[in-house]
Amino acid sequence: MKKILFNKPSIFRNNLKKLRSFADEGVYKSKCEKWLTKTFKVKKTLLTNSCTAALEISAILLNTTKGDEFIMPSYTFVSTANAFVKFGGIPVFVDIDTKTMNIDYNNIEKAITKKTKAIVIVHYAGIACNIDKIVELAKKHKLYLIEDAAHSFMSKYKNKPLGSFGDLSTLSFHETKNIHCGHGGALLINNKNFVKRASYIRDKGTNREDFQNHLVRKYTWIDYGSSYSLSEINSCFLYSQLLNAKKITKRRREIFFMYQSRLKNLSKHNKIQIPFITKNCFHNGHLFYIHVKKGKRANLIEYLRRKGISTVFHYIPLHSSPFGKRKCKTIGKLFSTTKYSNSLLRLPMHNAIKKNEIKKVCDEIEKFFE
Ligand SMILES: *Cc1c(COP(=O)(O)O)cnc(C)c1O
């Protein structure tokens, strides 16, 4: 029996054939950056070697120092928090909305203090946070807004791309994401005050970009930074993915809706909970997950594994991790974060999955609950 894989990174033909010469340094990097800047309608895009790198650049751009607070969900990938902790910042976790697993807008304002520097949001599974209200709140309190848009590439809210709302936004092109280049990311800059410095920080703290643009005769050390840039090989691979981004997104949405229509019935009978799509959101089909009642998840994973179907849960909430406990603050008990992280299960989702495989996954889930 053929195994049904949880993830299979997509590969398109001709990906690397076009990479004729490494002497043309920066050609594909620049093509990707132009494509992203145009698509997101932002001031500038910098390709990075990961979303983690883009988050670290963000922390430096905000002059993060000891004691600065960053309001964010605990239900996220470690880098969302670690990037700020690295520079002395304190993640302040607030509880999530159980319908979307996104930060609950209603919990943000009471977490704001004099030390708060930014609100950091994640559009979990590519489904939009309550973005209008969060933008308004950030403005009202003069806080920066950072979107960790690692899940939400090609998703939109009121026809505007997720990742174009924040002062800064970060993308991931890791092979587990919809569009990938093995390992890569990007920083989208929407606040003009960050445009110049961001490229210095990305290029090891040097003004190398000015040098390449013939603005200075030599390049030199002028800021904090690290080796955060993306290689030309990765950029070349990424470019062909970007040109296929609409196709990839369309396919993932089809898969999402197949799962949704097949599993609606189980949800109606309260056996499982399926994703809720927020109003005005066009999502990118990044994940399809179900919530399984207490105590049943491990049994279901094992049952499906025996049928050759690979399913996985997701984040262990950061506030319950060893380092998170030492370095972060929590607002309230984060009851929903704890409860719902324990019930969430992600189903196989990738471009190569077949219709009959999706049918089998749903058949087996139904059988499990019979
Ligand atoms: C995948 C992911 C990251 C990290 O991405 P890398 O490109 O691997 O650094 C950060 N945040 C979220 C929400 C993610 O899902």
Side-chain angles (χ1 to χ4, degrees):
M1 184 182 56
K2 220 177 116 230
K3 277 203 170 154
I4 300 181
L5 301 172
F6 171 68
N7 183 38
K8 189 166 188 245
S10 53
I11 305 273
F12 285 88
R13 265 186 298 139
N14 293 325
N15 260 338
L16 290 171
K17 267 192 205 151
K18 292 178 195 144
L19 188 65
R20 281 186 309 261
S21 155
F22 292 103
D24 295 342
E25 200 197 340
V27 172
Y28 282 95
K29 194 158 89 181
S30 157
K31 277 180 192 265
C32 291
E33 288 177 349
K34 279 196 185 119
W35 191 97
L36 290 164
T37 299
K38 199 170 149 219
T39 301
F40 283 88
K41 297 191 178 72
V42 287
K43 305 244 166 16
K44 189 171 170 100
T45 303
L46 293 175
L47 283 193
T48 57
N49 54 45
S50 63
C51 182
T52 303
L55 286 160
E56 289 188 18
I57 297 171
S58 306
I60 299 172
L61 282 171
L62 264 52
N63 294 322
T64 303
T65 51
K66 203 161 180 248
D68 288 346
E69 295 181 354
F70 297 84
I71 298 169
M72 64 177 73
S74 164
Y75 193 68
T76 181
F77 189 66
V78 59
S79 298
T80 319
N82 212 3
F84 299 96
V85 169
K86 187 169 172 180
F87 300 96
I90 303 171
V92 176
F93 297 130
V94 302
D95 214 353
I96 52 170
D97 157 40
T98 60
K99 273 167 141 178
T100 58
M101 307 301 282
N102 285 338
I103 194 164
D104 186 341
Y105 161 78
N106 298 302
N107 296 330
I108 297 177
E109 197 156 28
K110 55 183 177 252
I112 297 173
T113 70
K114 278 195 190 116
K115 297 248 169 117
T116 308
K117 194 147 222 183
I119 302 170
V120 186
I121 60 173
V122 181
H123 307 286
Y124 186 76
I127 294 170
C129 293
N130 205 333
I131 190 84
D132 280 345
K133 287 198 165 162
I134 294 173
V135 167
E136 213 176 278
L137 194 66
K139 264 204 194 120
K140 180 178 155 197
H141 291 274
K142 298 195 168 60
L143 300 174
Y144 290 115
L145 177 63
I146 297 177
E147 287 177 272
D148 179 343
H151 288 198
S152 46
F153 185 55
M154 300 299 279
S155 288
K156 289 177 198 162
Y157 178 78
K158 291 187 180 164
N159 224 18
K160 193 167 158 359
L162 298 186
S164 67
F165 291 86
D167 294 280
L168 297 164
S169 303
T170 63
L171 303 177
S172 174
F173 300 119
H174 187 264
E175 65 180 31
T176 51
K177 305 304 199 298
N178 288 18
I179 307 290
H180 77 103
C181 60
H183 202 178
L187 178 69
L188 305 171
I189 305 162
N190 223 348
N191 181 328
K192 66 176 186 325
N193 300 326
F194 294 136
V195 166
K196 204 84 191 123
R197 248 192 108 199
S199 77
Y200 302 156
I201 298 165
R202 195 253 319 246
D203 289 335
K204 306 161 182 104
T206 71
N207 57 347
R208 191 160 175 270
E209 194 180 79
D210 292 346
F211 173 70
Q212 283 171 326
N213 292 334
H214 310 291
L215 297 173
V216 290
R217 278 179 47 230
K218 289 179 202 163
Y219 73 85
T220 185
W221 181 20
I222 51 173
D223 207 328
Y224 293 102
S226 189
S227 183
Y228 289 132
S229 195
L230 189 69
S231 81
E232 192 60 1
I233 299 178
N234 290 83
S235 304
C236 181
F237 189 104
L238 180 62
Y239 191 59
S240 61
Q241 293 252 323
L242 293 178
L243 297 183
N244 285 291
K246 276 202 172 140
K247 208 158 97 187
I248 294 171
T249 307
K250 184 165 173 268
R251 177 70 190 134
R252 294 190 81 114
R253 281 172 57 82
E254 282 165 11
I255 298 164
F256 183 100
F257 290 121
M258 276 187 242
Y259 275 130
Q260 189 189 45
S261 75
R262 263 302 301 276
L263 295 173
K264 237 184 350 218
N265 214 22
L266 273 182
S267 155
K268 227 184 270 162
H269 290 90
N270 243 338
K271 302 275 192 212
I272 60 170
Q273 183 187 315
I274 57 176
F276 172 82
I277 301 162
T278 37
K279 211 174 143 210
N280 300 315
C281 173
F282 173 93
H283 71 88
N284 63 357
H286 178 51
L287 303 174
F288 192 92
Y289 64 82
I290 59 175
H291 283 289
V292 186
K293 285 230 172 74
K294 205 170 180 241
K296 286 232 161 122
R297 186 173 69 174
N299 294 346
L300 179 59
I301 293 173
E302 180 52 22
Y303 174 85
L304 293 172
R305 194 191 62 77
R306 273 189 269 118
K307 305 285 178 188
I309 299 165
S310 156
T311 59
V312 278
F313 50 85
H314 215 172
Y315 309 124
I316 309 293
L318 297 178
H319 74 279
S320 65
S321 67
F323 209 61
K325 276 184 193 156
R326 278 172 51 197
K327 296 290 182 183
C328 308
K329 281 189 193 164
T330 57
I331 302 294
K333 290 253 179 282
L334 306 191
F335 178 76
S336 300
T337 302
T338 303
K339 182 175 173 200
Y340 280 75
S341 64
N342 278 323
S343 63
L344 186 144
L345 185 65
R346 293 178 292 161
L347 305 183
M349 168 65 91
H350 53 84
N351 276 52
I353 196 166
K354 306 226 163 45
K355 216 170 167 177
N356 65 335
E357 292 178 321
I358 296 168
K359 184 176 174 300
K360 181 171 161 69
V361 175
C362 297
D363 285 347
E364 292 297 348
I365 293 173
E366 276 173 357
K367 268 192 220 158
F368 174 84
F369 283 104
E370 258 165 27

